[in-house]
Amino acid sequence: MPLDRIDRRILERLQRDGRIANADLAEVVGLSASACLRRVRALEEAGIIDRYVALLDQSKIGRRMDIFVEISLKSQSNETLSAFEEAVARSTEIMECHLMAGDADYLLRIAAADPVDFERIHRDHLARLPGVSRMRTSFAIRAVSKNTAFPLPEAGPDLPQQAKAK
Amino acid sequence: MPLDRIDRRILERLQRDGRIANADLAEVVGLSASACLRRVRALEEAGIIDRYVALLDQSKIGRRMDIFVEISLKSQSNETLSAFEEAVARSTEIMECHLMAGDADYLLRIAAADPVDFERIHRDHLARLPGVSRMRTSFAIRAVSKNTAFPLPEAGPDLPQQAKAK
DNA sequence: TTTCCTTCGGCACACCGATACGCATGGCTG
DNA sequence: CAGCCATGCGTATCGGTGTGCCGAAGGAAA
């Protein structure tokens, strides 16, 4: 699905304010309310807009610490990886998990209240992950910036080009 | 601000669906619409709900790669740190930046379309960051999971305890 | 215990925005 | 040139939002 300039403007705005009223969004991007709504629906159905969420203030709910954990597995076999990933998916304390190229196999991000809370998470969640051979933990002192919005260059074609490519 | 069980249920829900209609949210958490709206407003004003956003599908907008960059600075002086952080804040390509304890000083996350796109970001954004002495780049092959929702244990007091603590 | 006071939820109503039409326009194709 | 498809606009209706008011529950003090 090709994105024209108006789509990008819609996405840019929704990435910053997911709850903006459709009427207001329409005005910002320069469309009528109905036309705007139709585009937003199309973006949702195409899966480009994955979902809408509320972001909480991490410190205000007592999760001040971000902790990164690099994990190496005992083997790279499919079963080992799958078992590990399924366990990760089941844990609500693991905020993020990436399969990595390079030194470690996985990189995890954990949000903990304090060192004691991290010990709980370590004991009840991390230590139970299957197939782990080595863990390296790094503490974040402070989050400098945290973005959920991807840049969508205003440049580029105004209209869908070669929309034929389905 | 103490959170009772209903607040936690509201937050849990809004973290998953930031656009749920207040009337529906009220039904889910077992309140009338007006009472529910008042609580949501209070959570917003307290800053516990930081903001609402639309999350895009990273692969569908052509940003398949997550890249982590560990950065060490030439010095730890206040000016060096500030200058670096200000430059980071200005870059829209840097999705995340943490001040770290341990080996490296900072950890950055970048979302790029492909290796060529990363080269552009490296050249136009990373290479221009001031005060950098060493950079170590790790590529993520695949994101196993990405959460924005913090766990909010249902357990705990139903009612605010010792609300005196202002 | 009684009374006051504060807090919080429910109810009802007025209004605003969302949504679903039908119609108009413009570009592309045969 | 005719027809089709995509896309935008305006309108009408319906449902949700948000406010004002009341009443219930709980705590404190006399």
Side-chain angles (χ1 to χ4, degrees):
Chain A
M1 177 176 177
L3 300 178
D4 67 16
R5 188 180 304 183
I6 294 181
D7 289 322
R8 286 195 295 265
R9 229 176 286 167
I10 289 175
L11 292 175
E12 197 185 325
R13 192 59 196 245
L14 284 177
Q15 284 192 100
R16 282 186 291 123
D17 178 7
R19 262 204 157 173
I20 185 173
N22 180 61
D24 298 340
L25 179 60
E27 199 186 347
V28 168
V29 303
L31 283 182
S32 72
S34 55
C36 181
L37 184 63
R38 216 175 317 161
R39 276 174 183 263
V40 172
R41 289 281 176 276
L43 291 166
E44 287 167 4
E45 258 145 52
I48 293 176
I49 297 177
D50 183 39
R51 60 191 201 274
Y52 300 91
V53 300
L55 298 181
L56 307 190
D57 183 317
Q58 212 170 326
S59 70
K60 293 216 169 110
I61 56 166
R63 297 258 178 175
R64 274 177 195 75
M65 301 187 72
D66 273 309
I67 296 148
F68 292 89
V69 182
E70 290 174 90
I71 290 189
S72 303
L73 296 190
K74 285 174 189 150
S75 97
Q76 259 68 346
S77 75
N78 249 322
E79 300 82 55
T80 312
L81 298 184
S82 304
F84 178 81
E85 291 188 13
E86 276 161 33
V88 164
R90 273 196 300 276
S91 167
T92 53
E93 296 284 357
I94 297 172
M95 300 300 291
E96 224 170 298
C97 172
H98 297 266
L99 175 61
M100 301 296 288
D103 281 12
D105 293 320
Y106 288 96
L107 177 63
L108 273 54
R109 182 169 61 84
I110 307 288
D114 51 50
V116 174
D117 187 41
F118 179 63
E119 199 218 324
R120 170 188 65 83
I121 296 172
H122 187 279
R123 172 174 22 89
D124 296 348
H125 293 258
L126 302 183
R128 293 186 182 174
L129 294 172
V132 172
S133 85
R134 211 174 61 88
M135 261 174 52
R136 185 170 164 270
T137 302
S138 321
F139 290 80
I141 300 172
R142 175 169 50 86
V144 176
S145 74
K146 263 190 183 178
N147 266 319
T148 56
F150 299 99
L152 297 167
E154 263 294 329
D158 185 36
L159 286 174
Q161 52 185 351
Q162 262 62 288
K164 285 295 151 241
K166 207 209 113 203
Chain B
M1 177 176 177
L3 300 178
D4 66 15
R5 187 181 303 183
I6 294 182
D7 288 323
R8 285 194 295 265
R9 230 177 284 168
I10 289 175
L11 292 175
E12 196 185 326
R13 192 59 195 246
L14 283 177
Q15 284 193 99
R16 284 186 289 124
D17 179 7
R19 263 203 156 175
I20 186 173
N22 179 61
D24 297 341
L25 179 60
E27 200 186 347
V28 168
V29 303
L31 281 182
S32 72
S34 59
C36 180
L37 183 65
R38 260 191 303 256
R39 275 175 182 262
V40 172
R41 288 282 177 275
L43 291 166
E44 287 167 3
E45 259 146 51
I48 293 176
I49 297 177
D50 182 39
R51 60 190 201 274
Y52 300 91
V53 299
L55 297 182
L56 307 190
D57 182 318
Q58 215 171 325
S59 71
K60 293 216 169 111
I61 56 166
R63 296 259 177 175
R64 274 176 194 74
M65 302 186 71
D66 272 311
I67 297 149
F68 291 88
V69 182
E70 290 174 89
I71 291 188
S72 303
L73 296 190
K74 286 174 190 152
S75 96
Q76 258 69 347
S77 75
N78 249 321
E79 301 83 53
T80 312
L81 298 184
S82 305
F84 178 82
E85 291 187 14
E86 275 161 33
V88 164
R90 273 196 300 276
S91 167
T92 53
E93 296 284 357
I94 297 172
M95 300 300 292
E96 224 170 298
C97 172
H98 298 265
L99 176 61
M100 301 296 289
D103 281 13
D105 293 320
Y106 288 96
L107 177 63
L108 272 54
R109 182 169 61 84
I110 307 286
D114 51 50
V116 174
D117 187 42
F118 179 64
E119 199 218 323
R120 169 187 67 81
I121 297 171
H122 186 280
R123 174 175 19 92
D124 296 348
H125 293 259
L126 302 184
R128 293 186 184 175
L129 294 173
V132 172
S133 84
R134 212 173 60 88
M135 260 174 54
R136 185 170 163 269
T137 302
S138 321
F139 290 80
I141 301 173
R142 175 169 51 85
V144 176
S145 73
K146 263 190 183 177
N147 266 319
T148 57
F150 299 99
L152 298 166
E154 264 295 328
D158 186 35
L159 287 174
Q161 52 184 354
Q162 260 63 291
K164 286 292 153 243
K166 207 213 109 197

